[in-house]
Short mmCIF file of all heavy atoms in Angstrom, two decimals:
data_model
loop_
_atom_site.label_atom_id
_atom_site.label_comp_id
_atom_site.label_asym_id
_atom_site.label_seq_id
_atom_site.Cartn_x
_atom_site.Cartn_y
_atom_site.Cartn_z
N MET A 30 12.29 12.70 -0.32
CA MET A 30 11.91 11.30 -0.45
C MET A 30 10.45 11.21 -0.88
O MET A 30 9.63 12.03 -0.51
CB MET A 30 12.07 10.58 0.90
CG MET A 30 13.48 10.53 1.45
SD MET A 30 14.59 9.60 0.45
CE MET A 30 14.44 8.02 1.16
N ALA A 31 10.19 10.21 -1.66
CA ALA A 31 8.83 9.95 -2.14
C ALA A 31 8.44 8.53 -1.73
O ALA A 31 9.29 7.66 -1.55
CB ALA A 31 8.75 10.10 -3.64
N VAL A 32 7.17 8.31 -1.59
CA VAL A 32 6.68 7.00 -1.19
C VAL A 32 6.08 6.30 -2.41
O VAL A 32 5.46 6.94 -3.26
CB VAL A 32 5.66 7.12 -0.04
CG1 VAL A 32 4.43 7.85 -0.47
CG2 VAL A 32 5.31 5.79 0.54
N GLN A 33 6.33 5.00 -2.50
CA GLN A 33 5.75 4.19 -3.58
C GLN A 33 5.18 2.92 -2.98
O GLN A 33 5.72 2.37 -2.02
CB GLN A 33 6.81 3.80 -4.62
CG GLN A 33 7.26 4.94 -5.48
CD GLN A 33 8.21 4.47 -6.58
OE1 GLN A 33 8.77 3.38 -6.50
NE2 GLN A 33 8.38 5.29 -7.57
N TYR A 34 4.09 2.45 -3.56
CA TYR A 34 3.42 1.25 -3.07
C TYR A 34 3.46 0.12 -4.10
O TYR A 34 2.62 -0.78 -4.07
CB TYR A 34 1.97 1.59 -2.70
CG TYR A 34 1.89 2.67 -1.65
CD1 TYR A 34 1.55 3.97 -2.01
CD2 TYR A 34 2.16 2.41 -0.32
CE1 TYR A 34 1.48 4.98 -1.07
CE2 TYR A 34 2.10 3.41 0.63
CZ TYR A 34 1.75 4.69 0.25
OH TYR A 34 1.69 5.68 1.20
N ASN A 35 4.45 0.12 -4.98
CA ASN A 35 4.55 -0.93 -6.00
C ASN A 35 4.67 -2.32 -5.37
O ASN A 35 4.13 -3.29 -5.91
CB ASN A 35 5.75 -0.68 -6.91
CG ASN A 35 5.59 0.58 -7.75
OD1 ASN A 35 4.48 0.99 -8.03
ND2 ASN A 35 6.70 1.18 -8.13
N LYS A 36 5.34 -2.39 -4.23
CA LYS A 36 5.47 -3.69 -3.55
C LYS A 36 4.11 -4.20 -3.09
O LYS A 36 3.85 -5.40 -3.12
CB LYS A 36 6.40 -3.55 -2.34
CG LYS A 36 7.85 -3.39 -2.70
CD LYS A 36 8.68 -3.32 -1.43
CE LYS A 36 10.16 -3.27 -1.70
NZ LYS A 36 10.93 -3.30 -0.43
N LEU A 37 3.24 -3.28 -2.67
CA LEU A 37 1.89 -3.68 -2.26
C LEU A 37 1.14 -4.28 -3.43
O LEU A 37 0.52 -5.35 -3.30
CB LEU A 37 1.14 -2.47 -1.70
CG LEU A 37 -0.36 -2.67 -1.43
CD1 LEU A 37 -0.60 -3.77 -0.41
CD2 LEU A 37 -1.01 -1.37 -1.00
N TRP A 38 1.17 -3.61 -4.58
CA TRP A 38 0.42 -4.11 -5.74
C TRP A 38 0.97 -5.44 -6.22
O TRP A 38 0.20 -6.33 -6.60
CB TRP A 38 0.43 -3.07 -6.87
CG TRP A 38 0.01 -1.71 -6.40
CD1 TRP A 38 0.64 -0.54 -6.62
CD2 TRP A 38 -1.13 -1.38 -5.59
NE1 TRP A 38 -0.02 0.50 -6.01
CE2 TRP A 38 -1.11 0.01 -5.37
CE3 TRP A 38 -2.16 -2.13 -5.03
CZ2 TRP A 38 -2.09 0.67 -4.61
CZ3 TRP A 38 -3.14 -1.46 -4.27
CH2 TRP A 38 -3.09 -0.10 -4.07
N LYS A 39 2.28 -5.62 -6.18
CA LYS A 39 2.87 -6.89 -6.57
C LYS A 39 2.43 -7.99 -5.60
O LYS A 39 2.10 -9.09 -6.01
CB LYS A 39 4.39 -6.80 -6.62
CG LYS A 39 5.04 -8.13 -6.97
CD LYS A 39 6.41 -8.02 -7.47
CE LYS A 39 7.08 -9.31 -7.82
NZ LYS A 39 6.33 -10.51 -7.88
N ARG A 40 2.43 -7.65 -4.32
CA ARG A 40 2.02 -8.63 -3.31
C ARG A 40 0.56 -9.05 -3.53
O ARG A 40 0.23 -10.23 -3.42
CB ARG A 40 2.20 -8.04 -1.92
CG ARG A 40 1.97 -9.03 -0.80
CD ARG A 40 2.40 -8.43 0.53
NE ARG A 40 2.57 -9.46 1.52
CZ ARG A 40 3.66 -10.19 1.69
NH1 ARG A 40 4.70 -9.98 0.93
NH2 ARG A 40 3.72 -11.12 2.61
N LEU A 41 -0.30 -8.08 -3.83
CA LEU A 41 -1.71 -8.42 -4.08
C LEU A 41 -1.84 -9.34 -5.30
O LEU A 41 -2.64 -10.28 -5.27
CB LEU A 41 -2.54 -7.15 -4.30
CG LEU A 41 -2.77 -6.27 -3.07
CD1 LEU A 41 -3.60 -5.05 -3.46
CD2 LEU A 41 -3.44 -7.03 -1.95
N ILE A 42 -1.08 -9.05 -6.34
CA ILE A 42 -1.11 -9.90 -7.53
C ILE A 42 -0.64 -11.31 -7.18
O ILE A 42 -1.28 -12.30 -7.55
CB ILE A 42 -0.26 -9.30 -8.66
CG1 ILE A 42 -0.91 -8.03 -9.19
CG2 ILE A 42 -0.02 -10.32 -9.78
CD1 ILE A 42 -0.03 -7.20 -10.10
N ASP A 43 0.46 -11.40 -6.46
CA ASP A 43 1.01 -12.71 -6.07
C ASP A 43 0.02 -13.50 -5.21
O ASP A 43 -0.05 -14.72 -5.30
CB ASP A 43 2.33 -12.56 -5.32
CG ASP A 43 3.45 -12.04 -6.21
OD1 ASP A 43 3.29 -12.06 -7.46
OD2 ASP A 43 4.48 -11.60 -5.67
N MET A 44 -0.72 -12.79 -4.36
CA MET A 44 -1.69 -13.44 -3.47
C MET A 44 -3.07 -13.60 -4.13
O MET A 44 -3.98 -14.13 -3.51
CB MET A 44 -1.82 -12.64 -2.18
CG MET A 44 -0.55 -12.60 -1.35
SD MET A 44 -0.70 -11.57 0.13
CE MET A 44 -1.70 -12.64 1.17
N LYS A 45 -3.21 -13.07 -5.35
CA LYS A 45 -4.47 -13.13 -6.09
C LYS A 45 -5.60 -12.47 -5.30
O LYS A 45 -6.70 -13.00 -5.18
CB LYS A 45 -4.83 -14.55 -6.47
CG LYS A 45 -3.80 -15.16 -7.41
CD LYS A 45 -4.13 -16.56 -7.80
CE LYS A 45 -3.06 -16.99 -8.79
NZ LYS A 45 -2.81 -18.38 -8.83
N ILE A 46 -5.30 -11.27 -4.80
CA ILE A 46 -6.27 -10.48 -4.04
C ILE A 46 -6.56 -9.21 -4.82
O ILE A 46 -5.64 -8.54 -5.29
CB ILE A 46 -5.72 -10.12 -2.64
CG1 ILE A 46 -5.49 -11.40 -1.83
CG2 ILE A 46 -6.67 -9.18 -1.91
CD1 ILE A 46 -4.81 -11.15 -0.49
N LYS A 47 -7.83 -8.88 -4.96
CA LYS A 47 -8.22 -7.65 -5.64
C LYS A 47 -8.19 -6.48 -4.66
O LYS A 47 -8.32 -6.67 -3.45
CB LYS A 47 -9.62 -7.79 -6.22
CG LYS A 47 -9.70 -8.83 -7.32
CD LYS A 47 -11.10 -8.90 -7.88
CE LYS A 47 -11.15 -9.95 -8.97
NZ LYS A 47 -12.47 -10.02 -9.59
N LYS A 48 -8.06 -5.28 -5.21
CA LYS A 48 -8.06 -4.08 -4.37
C LYS A 48 -9.35 -3.98 -3.56
O LYS A 48 -9.33 -3.58 -2.39
CB LYS A 48 -7.88 -2.82 -5.21
CG LYS A 48 -6.49 -2.68 -5.80
CD LYS A 48 -6.41 -1.42 -6.65
CE LYS A 48 -5.05 -1.29 -7.32
NZ LYS A 48 -4.97 -0.08 -8.16
N SER A 49 -10.46 -4.35 -4.17
CA SER A 49 -11.75 -4.28 -3.46
C SER A 49 -11.77 -5.24 -2.28
O SER A 49 -12.36 -4.94 -1.24
CB SER A 49 -12.91 -4.57 -4.41
OG SER A 49 -12.75 -5.84 -5.01
N SER A 50 -11.13 -6.38 -2.43
CA SER A 50 -11.05 -7.33 -1.31
C SER A 50 -10.15 -6.79 -0.21
O SER A 50 -10.42 -7.01 0.98
CB SER A 50 -10.51 -8.68 -1.80
OG SER A 50 -11.37 -9.25 -2.73
N LEU A 51 -9.11 -6.08 -0.58
CA LEU A 51 -8.21 -5.50 0.41
C LEU A 51 -8.95 -4.48 1.27
O LEU A 51 -8.71 -4.41 2.48
CB LEU A 51 -7.01 -4.85 -0.27
CG LEU A 51 -6.00 -4.19 0.67
CD1 LEU A 51 -5.37 -5.22 1.61
CD2 LEU A 51 -4.91 -3.48 -0.13
N THR A 52 -9.86 -3.71 0.68
CA THR A 52 -10.62 -2.73 1.47
C THR A 52 -11.39 -3.43 2.59
O THR A 52 -11.43 -2.94 3.72
CB THR A 52 -11.60 -1.91 0.60
OG1 THR A 52 -12.55 -2.79 0.00
CG2 THR A 52 -10.88 -1.11 -0.44
N GLU A 53 -11.98 -4.57 2.29
CA GLU A 53 -12.73 -5.33 3.28
C GLU A 53 -11.80 -5.97 4.30
O GLU A 53 -12.05 -5.91 5.51
CB GLU A 53 -13.58 -6.40 2.61
CG GLU A 53 -14.68 -5.85 1.73
CD GLU A 53 -15.41 -6.93 0.97
OE1 GLU A 53 -15.34 -8.11 1.37
OE2 GLU A 53 -16.05 -6.60 -0.05
N MET A 54 -10.74 -6.60 3.83
CA MET A 54 -9.81 -7.30 4.71
C MET A 54 -9.15 -6.35 5.71
O MET A 54 -8.99 -6.70 6.88
CB MET A 54 -8.71 -7.98 3.89
CG MET A 54 -9.17 -9.14 3.04
SD MET A 54 -7.87 -9.72 1.89
CE MET A 54 -6.55 -10.13 3.01
N ALA A 55 -8.75 -5.18 5.23
CA ALA A 55 -8.01 -4.24 6.07
C ALA A 55 -8.89 -3.21 6.74
O ALA A 55 -8.42 -2.47 7.61
CB ALA A 55 -6.94 -3.55 5.23
N GLY A 56 -10.14 -3.13 6.33
CA GLY A 56 -11.04 -2.14 6.92
C GLY A 56 -10.68 -0.72 6.55
O GLY A 56 -10.74 0.18 7.38
N VAL A 57 -10.30 -0.54 5.29
CA VAL A 57 -9.97 0.81 4.80
C VAL A 57 -10.95 1.18 3.69
O VAL A 57 -11.59 0.31 3.11
CB VAL A 57 -8.51 0.90 4.29
CG1 VAL A 57 -7.53 0.65 5.42
CG2 VAL A 57 -8.25 -0.04 3.14
N SER A 58 -11.06 2.46 3.40
CA SER A 58 -12.01 2.92 2.40
C SER A 58 -11.46 2.82 0.98
O SER A 58 -10.24 2.72 0.78
CB SER A 58 -12.40 4.37 2.68
OG SER A 58 -11.30 5.22 2.46
N ALA A 59 -12.35 2.89 0.03
CA ALA A 59 -11.95 2.88 -1.38
C ALA A 59 -11.12 4.12 -1.71
O ALA A 59 -10.20 4.07 -2.54
CB ALA A 59 -13.17 2.80 -2.27
N SER A 60 -11.42 5.23 -1.06
CA SER A 60 -10.64 6.46 -1.32
C SER A 60 -9.20 6.31 -0.82
O SER A 60 -8.27 6.86 -1.41
CB SER A 60 -11.31 7.68 -0.69
OG SER A 60 -11.36 7.55 0.70
N THR A 61 -9.01 5.54 0.23
CA THR A 61 -7.65 5.26 0.72
C THR A 61 -6.90 4.43 -0.29
O THR A 61 -5.72 4.69 -0.56
CB THR A 61 -7.71 4.56 2.08
OG1 THR A 61 -8.36 5.41 3.02
CG2 THR A 61 -6.33 4.20 2.57
N ILE A 62 -7.56 3.45 -0.87
CA ILE A 62 -6.93 2.62 -1.91
C ILE A 62 -6.57 3.49 -3.11
O ILE A 62 -5.52 3.31 -3.73
CB ILE A 62 -7.84 1.44 -2.31
CG1 ILE A 62 -8.11 0.52 -1.10
CG2 ILE A 62 -7.24 0.65 -3.46
CD1 ILE A 62 -6.88 -0.14 -0.50
N ALA A 63 -7.43 4.44 -3.43
CA ALA A 63 -7.16 5.36 -4.54
C ALA A 63 -5.91 6.20 -4.24
O ALA A 63 -5.07 6.42 -5.12
CB ALA A 63 -8.35 6.27 -4.80
N LYS A 64 -5.76 6.66 -3.01
CA LYS A 64 -4.56 7.40 -2.62
C LYS A 64 -3.32 6.53 -2.80
O LYS A 64 -2.29 6.99 -3.29
CB LYS A 64 -4.65 7.86 -1.16
CG LYS A 64 -5.49 9.06 -0.92
CD LYS A 64 -5.40 9.46 0.53
CE LYS A 64 -6.13 10.75 0.80
NZ LYS A 64 -5.98 11.19 2.18
N LEU A 65 -3.42 5.30 -2.37
CA LEU A 65 -2.29 4.38 -2.52
C LEU A 65 -1.96 4.17 -4.00
O LEU A 65 -0.79 4.11 -4.38
CB LEU A 65 -2.61 3.03 -1.86
CG LEU A 65 -2.74 3.03 -0.33
CD1 LEU A 65 -3.35 1.72 0.14
CD2 LEU A 65 -1.41 3.28 0.33
N SER A 66 -2.98 4.10 -4.83
CA SER A 66 -2.78 3.90 -6.27
C SER A 66 -2.04 5.06 -6.91
O SER A 66 -1.36 4.88 -7.91
CB SER A 66 -4.13 3.72 -6.97
OG SER A 66 -4.77 2.56 -6.52
N HIS A 67 -2.17 6.25 -6.31
CA HIS A 67 -1.50 7.44 -6.83
C HIS A 67 -0.23 7.77 -6.05
O HIS A 67 0.28 8.88 -6.16
CB HIS A 67 -2.47 8.63 -6.82
CG HIS A 67 -3.60 8.46 -7.78
ND1 HIS A 67 -4.85 8.07 -7.39
CD2 HIS A 67 -3.64 8.61 -9.13
CE1 HIS A 67 -5.63 7.99 -8.45
NE2 HIS A 67 -4.93 8.31 -9.51
N ASP A 68 0.25 6.82 -5.26
CA ASP A 68 1.47 7.00 -4.45
C ASP A 68 1.39 8.23 -3.56
O ASP A 68 2.37 8.96 -3.39
CB ASP A 68 2.72 7.05 -5.33
CG ASP A 68 3.06 5.70 -5.95
OD1 ASP A 68 2.67 4.67 -5.36
OD2 ASP A 68 3.71 5.67 -6.99
N GLU A 69 0.22 8.47 -2.98
CA GLU A 69 0.04 9.56 -2.05
C GLU A 69 0.23 9.03 -0.62
O GLU A 69 0.11 7.84 -0.36
CB GLU A 69 -1.36 10.16 -2.20
CG GLU A 69 -1.60 10.81 -3.54
CD GLU A 69 -3.00 11.36 -3.70
OE1 GLU A 69 -3.72 11.49 -2.68
OE2 GLU A 69 -3.38 11.64 -4.84
N TYR A 70 0.51 9.95 0.29
CA TYR A 70 0.73 9.56 1.67
C TYR A 70 -0.58 9.16 2.33
O TYR A 70 -1.62 9.75 2.09
CB TYR A 70 1.34 10.72 2.47
CG TYR A 70 2.77 11.00 2.08
CD1 TYR A 70 3.08 12.08 1.26
CD2 TYR A 70 3.79 10.19 2.54
CE1 TYR A 70 4.39 12.34 0.89
CE2 TYR A 70 5.11 10.45 2.18
CZ TYR A 70 5.41 11.52 1.36
OH TYR A 70 6.70 11.77 0.99
N VAL A 71 -0.50 8.11 3.15
CA VAL A 71 -1.62 7.66 4.00
C VAL A 71 -1.07 7.51 5.40
O VAL A 71 0.14 7.48 5.62
CB VAL A 71 -2.24 6.34 3.50
CG1 VAL A 71 -2.89 6.51 2.14
CG2 VAL A 71 -1.24 5.23 3.48
N SER A 72 -1.94 7.39 6.37
CA SER A 72 -1.51 7.32 7.76
C SER A 72 -0.82 5.98 8.05
O SER A 72 -1.05 4.97 7.36
CB SER A 72 -2.69 7.50 8.71
OG SER A 72 -3.53 6.36 8.68
N LEU A 73 -0.02 6.01 9.08
CA LEU A 73 0.66 4.80 9.52
C LEU A 73 -0.36 3.76 9.99
O LEU A 73 -0.15 2.56 9.81
CB LEU A 73 1.66 5.13 10.63
CG LEU A 73 2.60 4.02 11.05
CD1 LEU A 73 3.39 3.49 9.87
CD2 LEU A 73 3.54 4.53 12.12
N GLU A 74 -1.46 4.23 10.53
CA GLU A 74 -2.52 3.33 10.98
C GLU A 74 -3.08 2.52 9.80
O GLU A 74 -3.33 1.31 9.92
CB GLU A 74 -3.65 4.11 11.64
CG GLU A 74 -4.79 3.23 12.12
CD GLU A 74 -5.95 4.02 12.69
OE1 GLU A 74 -5.85 5.25 12.83
OE2 GLU A 74 -6.97 3.39 12.98
N VAL A 75 -3.27 3.18 8.67
CA VAL A 75 -3.77 2.50 7.47
C VAL A 75 -2.76 1.44 7.02
O VAL A 75 -3.13 0.30 6.71
CB VAL A 75 -4.04 3.51 6.34
CG1 VAL A 75 -4.24 2.80 5.01
CG2 VAL A 75 -5.25 4.36 6.68
N LEU A 76 -1.49 1.82 6.99
CA LEU A 76 -0.46 0.86 6.57
C LEU A 76 -0.39 -0.32 7.53
O LEU A 76 -0.20 -1.46 7.11
CB LEU A 76 0.89 1.56 6.47
CG LEU A 76 0.98 2.64 5.39
CD1 LEU A 76 2.32 3.36 5.47
CD2 LEU A 76 0.77 2.04 4.01
N GLU A 77 -0.58 -0.05 8.83
CA GLU A 77 -0.58 -1.13 9.81
C GLU A 77 -1.75 -2.09 9.56
O GLU A 77 -1.58 -3.31 9.60
CB GLU A 77 -0.68 -0.55 11.22
CG GLU A 77 -0.68 -1.61 12.30
CD GLU A 77 -0.87 -1.05 13.69
OE1 GLU A 77 -0.92 0.19 13.86
OE2 GLU A 77 -0.96 -1.86 14.62
N ARG A 78 -2.92 -1.55 9.27
CA ARG A 78 -4.09 -2.40 8.97
C ARG A 78 -3.84 -3.29 7.76
O ARG A 78 -4.19 -4.47 7.75
CB ARG A 78 -5.32 -1.54 8.72
CG ARG A 78 -5.90 -0.90 9.93
CD ARG A 78 -7.11 -0.10 9.54
NE ARG A 78 -7.65 0.64 10.65
CZ ARG A 78 -8.76 1.33 10.60
NH1 ARG A 78 -9.45 1.41 9.47
NH2 ARG A 78 -9.20 1.98 11.66
N ILE A 79 -3.25 -2.70 6.73
CA ILE A 79 -2.96 -3.46 5.51
C ILE A 79 -1.95 -4.56 5.81
O ILE A 79 -2.12 -5.71 5.39
CB ILE A 79 -2.46 -2.51 4.41
CG1 ILE A 79 -3.61 -1.64 3.91
CG2 ILE A 79 -1.84 -3.30 3.25
CD1 ILE A 79 -3.22 -0.50 3.00
N CYS A 80 -0.92 -4.23 6.56
CA CYS A 80 0.10 -5.22 6.90
C CYS A 80 -0.49 -6.36 7.74
O CYS A 80 -0.14 -7.52 7.54
CB CYS A 80 1.27 -4.57 7.63
SG CYS A 80 2.28 -3.53 6.56
N ARG A 81 -1.35 -6.02 8.68
CA ARG A 81 -2.00 -7.07 9.47
C ARG A 81 -2.86 -7.97 8.60
O ARG A 81 -2.86 -9.19 8.75
CB ARG A 81 -2.84 -6.46 10.59
CG ARG A 81 -2.04 -5.88 11.72
CD ARG A 81 -2.98 -5.39 12.84
NE ARG A 81 -2.26 -4.63 13.83
CZ ARG A 81 -1.63 -5.17 14.86
NH1 ARG A 81 -1.62 -6.46 15.02
NH2 ARG A 81 -1.00 -4.39 15.73
N ALA A 82 -3.61 -7.37 7.68
CA ALA A 82 -4.48 -8.14 6.81
C ALA A 82 -3.69 -9.07 5.89
O ALA A 82 -4.11 -10.19 5.62
CB ALA A 82 -5.37 -7.20 5.99
N LEU A 83 -2.55 -8.57 5.41
CA LEU A 83 -1.73 -9.37 4.49
C LEU A 83 -0.65 -10.19 5.21
O LEU A 83 0.10 -10.91 4.56
CB LEU A 83 -1.06 -8.45 3.47
CG LEU A 83 -2.01 -7.66 2.56
CD1 LEU A 83 -1.21 -6.76 1.62
CD2 LEU A 83 -2.92 -8.58 1.78
N ARG A 84 -0.57 -10.02 6.52
CA ARG A 84 0.42 -10.73 7.35
C ARG A 84 1.84 -10.51 6.83
O ARG A 84 2.54 -11.46 6.47
CB ARG A 84 0.09 -12.22 7.42
CG ARG A 84 -1.22 -12.49 8.09
CD ARG A 84 -1.54 -13.93 8.18
NE ARG A 84 -2.86 -14.09 8.77
CZ ARG A 84 -3.43 -15.25 8.95
NH1 ARG A 84 -2.82 -16.35 8.60
NH2 ARG A 84 -4.63 -15.30 9.49
N CYS A 85 2.19 -9.24 6.79
CA CYS A 85 3.51 -8.88 6.30
C CYS A 85 4.06 -7.70 7.07
O CYS A 85 3.38 -7.14 7.93
CB CYS A 85 3.46 -8.57 4.80
SG CYS A 85 2.48 -7.12 4.39
N ASP A 86 5.26 -7.30 6.76
CA ASP A 86 5.92 -6.16 7.38
C ASP A 86 5.71 -4.92 6.51
O ASP A 86 5.49 -5.04 5.30
CB ASP A 86 7.41 -6.48 7.52
CG ASP A 86 8.12 -5.45 8.36
OD1 ASP A 86 7.85 -5.34 9.56
OD2 ASP A 86 8.99 -4.76 7.79
N ILE A 87 5.84 -3.75 7.09
CA ILE A 87 5.61 -2.52 6.35
C ILE A 87 6.57 -2.38 5.16
O ILE A 87 6.20 -1.86 4.12
CB ILE A 87 5.69 -1.28 7.27
CG1 ILE A 87 5.08 -0.07 6.57
CG2 ILE A 87 7.09 -1.03 7.76
CD1 ILE A 87 4.75 1.07 7.50
N GLY A 88 7.78 -2.90 5.29
CA GLY A 88 8.74 -2.86 4.19
C GLY A 88 8.34 -3.73 3.01
O GLY A 88 8.88 -3.60 1.92
N ASP A 89 7.38 -4.61 3.23
CA ASP A 89 6.88 -5.47 2.16
C ASP A 89 5.84 -4.77 1.29
O ASP A 89 5.47 -5.29 0.23
CB ASP A 89 6.26 -6.75 2.73
CG ASP A 89 7.27 -7.60 3.49
OD1 ASP A 89 8.46 -7.57 3.11
OD2 ASP A 89 6.86 -8.28 4.45
N VAL A 90 5.35 -3.60 1.73
CA VAL A 90 4.32 -2.90 0.97
C VAL A 90 4.68 -1.45 0.61
O VAL A 90 4.06 -0.87 -0.26
CB VAL A 90 2.95 -2.92 1.70
CG1 VAL A 90 2.43 -4.33 1.83
CG2 VAL A 90 3.03 -2.26 3.05
N VAL A 91 5.65 -0.87 1.29
CA VAL A 91 6.02 0.53 1.09
C VAL A 91 7.50 0.63 0.75
O VAL A 91 8.32 -0.09 1.30
CB VAL A 91 5.75 1.36 2.36
CG1 VAL A 91 6.15 2.80 2.15
CG2 VAL A 91 4.30 1.27 2.76
N GLU A 92 7.81 1.56 -0.14
CA GLU A 92 9.20 1.81 -0.50
C GLU A 92 9.41 3.32 -0.57
O GLU A 92 8.60 4.04 -1.15
CB GLU A 92 9.51 1.17 -1.85
CG GLU A 92 10.93 1.31 -2.28
CD GLU A 92 11.20 0.60 -3.60
OE1 GLU A 92 10.26 0.31 -4.35
OE2 GLU A 92 12.37 0.34 -3.85
N LEU A 93 10.49 3.79 0.03
CA LEU A 93 10.85 5.20 -0.07
C LEU A 93 11.89 5.35 -1.17
O LEU A 93 12.85 4.59 -1.23
CB LEU A 93 11.44 5.70 1.24
CG LEU A 93 10.48 5.79 2.42
CD1 LEU A 93 11.22 6.24 3.66
CD2 LEU A 93 9.34 6.73 2.13
N THR A 94 11.66 6.31 -2.05
CA THR A 94 12.58 6.55 -3.16
C THR A 94 12.97 8.02 -3.22
O THR A 94 12.28 8.87 -2.66
CB THR A 94 11.92 6.15 -4.51
OG1 THR A 94 10.75 6.95 -4.69
CG2 THR A 94 11.56 4.68 -4.54
N GLU A 95 14.04 8.29 -3.89
CA GLU A 95 14.46 9.66 -4.12
C GLU A 95 13.49 10.30 -5.11
O GLU A 95 13.14 9.69 -6.11
CB GLU A 95 15.87 9.71 -4.69
CG GLU A 95 16.94 9.24 -3.71
CD GLU A 95 17.11 10.18 -2.53
OE1 GLU A 95 16.92 11.40 -2.70
OE2 GLU A 95 17.42 9.66 -1.45
N GLU A 96 13.07 11.53 -4.83
CA GLU A 96 12.19 12.23 -5.75
C GLU A 96 13.01 12.69 -6.94
O GLU A 96 14.11 13.22 -6.79
CB GLU A 96 11.56 13.45 -5.08
CG GLU A 96 10.53 13.07 -4.04
CD GLU A 96 9.81 14.29 -3.52
OE1 GLU A 96 9.10 14.94 -4.31
OE2 GLU A 96 9.96 14.58 -2.34
N SER A 97 12.47 12.50 -8.12
CA SER A 97 13.14 12.98 -9.31
C SER A 97 12.83 14.46 -9.50
O SER A 97 11.75 14.92 -9.20
CB SER A 97 12.71 12.18 -10.55
OG SER A 97 11.32 12.31 -10.72
N GLU A 98 13.82 15.18 -10.00
CA GLU A 98 13.60 16.61 -10.21
C GLU A 98 12.72 16.83 -11.42
O GLU A 98 12.86 16.16 -12.43
CB GLU A 98 14.95 17.32 -10.40
CG GLU A 98 15.76 17.34 -9.14
CD GLU A 98 17.02 18.17 -9.27
OE1 GLU A 98 17.04 19.07 -10.13
OE2 GLU A 98 17.97 17.92 -8.52
N LYS A 99 11.81 17.81 -11.30
CA LYS A 99 10.90 18.08 -12.39
C LYS A 99 11.34 19.27 -13.18
O LYS A 99 11.95 20.15 -12.75
CB LYS A 99 9.49 18.30 -11.85
CG LYS A 99 8.95 17.05 -11.22
CD LYS A 99 7.55 17.27 -10.72
CE LYS A 99 7.04 15.98 -10.05
NZ LYS A 99 5.74 16.13 -9.50
#
């Protein structure tokens, strides 16, 4: 399984929130946002902070997908 954060980016666009604003709202670092941008794993604590800041559920920002074979 692979993790994707496309739902998070769509939500930010819909809410007209920039990634830099999300760092302040959620109290996460810019390097964490960079990890999210590259669909890398982050801690559940980080995802919880983001969900609290955006007032949403974890399923609204994270999606698990099947990894494609390389």
Side-chain angles (χ1 to χ4, degrees):
M30 298 295 269
V32 64
Q33 288 185 343
Y34 302 103
N35 294 334
K36 288 182 175 184
L37 170 61
W38 309 131
K39 178 160 180 11
R40 187 171 197 84
L41 290 180
I42 291 168
D43 292 345
M44 296 176 75
K45 297 181 177 153
I46 297 174
K47 295 182 180 182
K48 290 179 183 179
S49 58
S50 297
L51 179 62
T52 61
E53 294 174 20
M54 291 171 58
V57 297
S58 67
S60 63
T61 299
I62 298 298
K64 281 185 175 183
L65 293 168
S66 296
H67 293 101
D68 289 334
E69 295 178 14
Y70 290 102
V71 295
S72 72
L73 189 56
E74 180 184 354
V75 167
L76 296 174
E77 180 184 356
R78 287 181 185 185
I79 290 170
C80 289
R81 287 184 190 274
L83 298 179
R84 297 181 183 178
C85 65
D86 189 66
I87 195 164
D89 297 329
V90 296
V91 179
E92 183 177 19
L93 292 178
T94 60
E95 293 293 327
E96 289 187 65
S97 59
E98 292 187 24
K99 295 181 182 178

